[in-house]
Amino acid sequence: FQNVSDLGKSMTARISAPLVAAGTLGFKFAAELEDAFGASEQIYKDNAGFVQDWAGSLPAYYGIAEKDALTYANTMGAMFQNIGGLSREEAAKQSTKLIELAGDAAAMFNGTPEEAMYAFQASLKGNNTMLDNYGMGVSDATIKTKALEMGLESAGGQLSIADKQAATVALII
């Protein structure tokens, strides 16, 4: 009977414990994905379905999981709307495009999509130094030049934050 008892303990340790851990992780992942869906509905409203469908069908070669794609899109969408003044629809389009570019940049420059997204998000707030890691020489001068090419010039020749953001995105793309 001792051998049977030892076998039961061994099976519990080797099989049951990992299954419980996997179930816990699966529940956590599902909860985080649900949170990301809820956030996209708040940020994008009527355009949430577009972003959610895009995240769910993002090809694996970008190296970005659905939950991460939604989380990135939510952050970028909020930034595009709050800093850049874009509509929800335009924010959704720009966000998804930049996330795909982040996946490409990470592959090209031996980084991770998360690092590339961090660099892109920082650039939307005016910090372009990390774009150098992805072969993009974005500076105040190049932003101003691009903004002028795009016809973006605020009163007194100064660029607004939204204008700078639009020019930066154009340079990244």
Side-chain angles (χ1 to χ4, degrees):
F1 288 105
Q2 183 63 31
N3 287 340
V4 172
S5 176
D6 290 344
L7 178 64
K9 289 178 186 176
S10 175
M11 287 181 69
T12 297
R14 292 183 181 175
I15 297 171
S16 298
L19 285 175
V20 169
T24 301
L25 286 175
F27 177 79
K28 181 180 179 215
F29 177 82
E32 289 173 352
L33 182 61
E34 187 63 32
D35 287 345
F37 269 88
S40 68
E41 289 168 3
Q42 289 299 309
I43 292 164
Y44 294 106
K45 304 287 185 202
D46 293 341
N47 295 286
F50 167 79
V51 175
Q52 292 166 350
D53 291 345
W54 166 84
S57 64
L58 188 64
Y61 55 77
Y62 286 112
I64 304 171
E66 178 181 16
K67 179 191 73 68
D68 294 333
L70 269 178
T71 300
Y72 298 151
N74 292 339
T75 300
M76 295 195 91
M79 291 172 69
F80 278 130
Q81 291 174 56
N82 295 328
I83 297 171
L86 297 183
S87 68
R88 289 183 178 102
E89 181 180 7
E90 193 58 32
K93 290 176 187 176
Q94 292 283 10
S95 296
T96 56
K97 177 73 173 166
L98 281 183
I99 293 164
E100 290 173 3
L101 287 173
D104 288 342
M108 287 175 58
F109 293 94
N110 200 25
T112 66
E114 182 179 23
E115 293 166 341
M117 281 305 310
Y118 184 74
F120 287 6
Q121 288 171 355
S123 73
L124 296 180
K125 296 184 280 185
N127 180 354
N128 298 307
T129 58
M130 294 186 322
L131 292 178
D132 292 347
N133 297 334
Y134 301 96
M136 298 175 211
V138 178
S139 66
D140 288 339
T142 58
I143 291 169
K144 183 163 183 143
T145 300
K146 188 63 169 178
L148 292 173
E149 287 174 11
M150 296 169 66
L152 304 172
E153 188 173 353
S154 300
Q158 297 293 328
L159 294 174
S160 69
I161 294 172
D163 292 343
K164 289 178 182 178
Q165 187 184 78
T168 301
V169 170
L171 288 166
I172 291 171
I173 291 173

